[in-house]
Amino acid sequence: MTDRESARERILEAACDLIAAEGIDDVRIARVAMRARASTALVHHYFSTREELLEQALLHSFEKVGEERFAATGGEAPDATAALAEAIEECLPSPGPMERDWVLWVELWLRAAREPDLRPFAASLYARYHDWLEEVLKRGIDSGEFTAPADLRALTDRTMALLDGLGLRALLHDPTMDIDAARAQVADFLAPQLGIDAAALLTQPA
């Protein structure tokens, strides 16, 4: 990474941190510059307006998530069930980086709902998400570890919808739906359709 790329990424990461911590409406260029250990002039060198900075920060966050999460399909897991358990964990807002990513995801949903120009990007991210999760499921089907569902694509879509809906409730600290409860509901939904024990999907990665 060049110095130029490093400075721009540092600014984008700082903006993402502030968006996640305080909400997109309260983010100011001066605060981003301070967090990124940069001058406001340097921030303006890369981003001409606050809106451009905020939009690029959201896009940067999701490109990074895509590269890190959707590039692999649990290849290091010992079997398909363990890979699926890891995938479920990756899709829920556990405290730490995943929770931050979820807050940014919600910001993107809201902006895309209001700004049509962002909708193709949101759709492309969901397409990558779908392909990644479907591949995790397909690994177990191909190996004979999972029972093949009647419609793999539909099962993938419903699993994503369940993860999104339960994950949002956990993110909002719904007292009836924490991360453990969300994980259990996803496992209870998937296990019978794949012919496996739901308890095997509740094992958290070390």
Side-chain angles (χ1 to χ4, degrees):
M1 181 181 293
T2 66
D3 290 344
R4 177 185 176 88
E5 291 169 335
S6 177
R8 186 176 187 277
E9 180 161 340
R10 195 170 70 246
I11 291 166
L12 290 171
E13 282 292 315
C16 286
D17 286 343
L18 288 171
I19 292 170
E22 302 175 8
I24 201 164
D25 291 337
D26 290 333
V27 176
R28 298 290 179 267
I29 283 181
R31 298 198 63 199
V32 173
M34 182 180 299
R35 190 176 186 91
R37 303 184 309 280
S39 66
T40 55
L42 183 62
V43 176
H44 281 295
H45 172 73
Y46 292 114
F47 309 100
S48 57
T49 66
R50 173 182 174 276
E51 283 303 306
E52 181 187 356
L53 169 60
L54 297 178
E55 180 176 310
Q56 289 301 312
L58 291 176
L59 300 184
H60 165 78
S61 171
F62 291 105
E63 284 295 341
K64 188 173 180 180
V65 167
E67 289 170 5
E68 294 176 355
R69 189 184 311 166
F70 304 151
T73 56
E76 296 182 2
D79 54 39
T81 301
L84 181 55
E86 289 181 7
I88 292 169
E89 199 68 24
E90 284 287 319
C91 295
L92 292 172
S94 301
M98 284 304 304
E99 187 172 31
R100 189 196 84 152
D101 290 343
W102 259 83
V103 172
L104 294 170
W105 188 293
V106 171
E107 291 285 359
L108 178 64
W109 280 342
L110 292 173
R111 290 178 72 83
R114 294 189 297 260
E115 300 173 25
D117 288 348
L118 279 178
R119 292 173 191 169
F121 175 76
S124 70
L125 186 69
Y126 261 110
R128 290 175 71 185
Y129 179 10
H130 186 284
D131 289 347
W132 169 77
L133 184 57
E134 186 174 289
E135 186 60 30
V136 175
L137 295 170
K138 191 172 182 295
R139 172 182 170 182
I141 294 166
D142 290 346
S143 70
E145 194 174 334
F146 299 160
T147 300
D151 188 336
L152 177 58
R153 184 168 188 84
L155 177 61
T156 304
D157 280 331
R158 290 167 189 159
T159 303
M160 289 168 60
L162 193 61
L163 287 162
D164 280 354
L166 297 177
L168 182 58
R169 288 176 64 187
L171 181 70
L172 297 175
H173 298 280
D174 182 333
T176 66
M177 188 58 62
D178 60 13
I179 294 293
D180 290 338
R183 187 189 299 111
Q185 287 218 25
V186 175
D188 286 344
F189 167 73
L190 277 174
Q193 303 192 62
L194 300 174
I196 60 176
D197 184 357
L201 296 177
L202 300 179
T203 304
Q204 298 183 49

